[in-house]
Amino acid sequence: MITYKILKEEVIVIIEPSGPITRSDLEALTRDVDNHVRQTGTIRGMIIHSRSFPRWHDLGAFLKDMKFVFAHQRKIQRVASVTDSKLLMLVHRIARHVFSPEIRHFFYGEMEAALTWIREKR
């Protein structure tokens, strides 16, 4: 399960996985992010705020997640990984070299620092 919010004025998406991620979670996220991108053209930043490495409900949910990442990565300027999960830190460290957005790690309790970084002018 994921919860998310879009800070529309700042064009920031905050995603918080709290249990196995389902296809319907990702369909709702994709729909809302796509609607926002149609209006603004881009996403200033995305924050993934998770204490531990998120799991997927099934293979279909994992594939939907990968589809979301590949379809949106060029529309996102910055991604903040706000987690204490060593595995998620590693995944995002590797992603830095593969994907378009600037990616930076913050520890789980550093949500405000992550928001400040996303808000900075580039």
Side-chain angles (χ1 to χ4, degrees):
M1 177 179 164
I2 59 173
T3 56
Y4 63 90
K5 59 185 164 189
I6 300 174
L7 306 178
K8 293 184 182 195
E9 296 295 317
E10 299 178 289
V11 198
I12 298 171
V13 179
I14 301 172
I15 301 170
E16 297 183 305
S18 60
I21 300 169
T22 66
R23 282 180 260 189
S24 61
D25 290 336
L26 292 160
E27 288 165 357
L29 174 66
T30 300
R31 181 189 63 245
D32 290 346
V33 168
D34 286 348
N35 285 337
H36 200 70
V37 167
R38 274 192 288 282
Q39 295 170 10
T40 63
T42 188
I43 298 291
R44 179 182 213 171
M46 183 170 285
I47 297 175
I48 302 164
H49 188 224
S50 181
R51 191 170 296 282
S52 60
F53 189 79
R55 300 180 324 258
W56 295 270
H57 183 263
D58 56 22
L59 180 61
F62 172 77
L63 294 173
K64 267 232 187 279
D65 195 5
M66 294 304 99
K67 183 177 178 182
F68 176 86
V69 168
F70 283 100
H72 294 88
Q73 57 107 6
R74 294 199 186 280
K75 299 171 186 150
I76 301 168
Q77 296 174 10
R78 289 184 166 176
V79 174
S81 172
V82 185
T83 185
D84 290 337
S85 166
K86 292 190 186 326
L87 183 55
L88 194 52
M89 286 183 226
L90 176 64
V91 168
H92 288 151
R93 187 171 293 143
I94 292 167
R96 256 187 237 161
H97 303 287
V98 179
F99 295 111
S100 294
E102 186 178 353
I103 301 172
R104 185 168 169 193
H105 171 261
F106 296 85
F107 289 102
Y108 187 78
E110 298 178 318
M111 184 64 154
E112 284 306 313
L115 278 166
T116 298
W117 176 71
I118 294 273
R119 290 173 176 141
E120 287 176 354
K121 301 278 187 221
R122 290 178 30 153

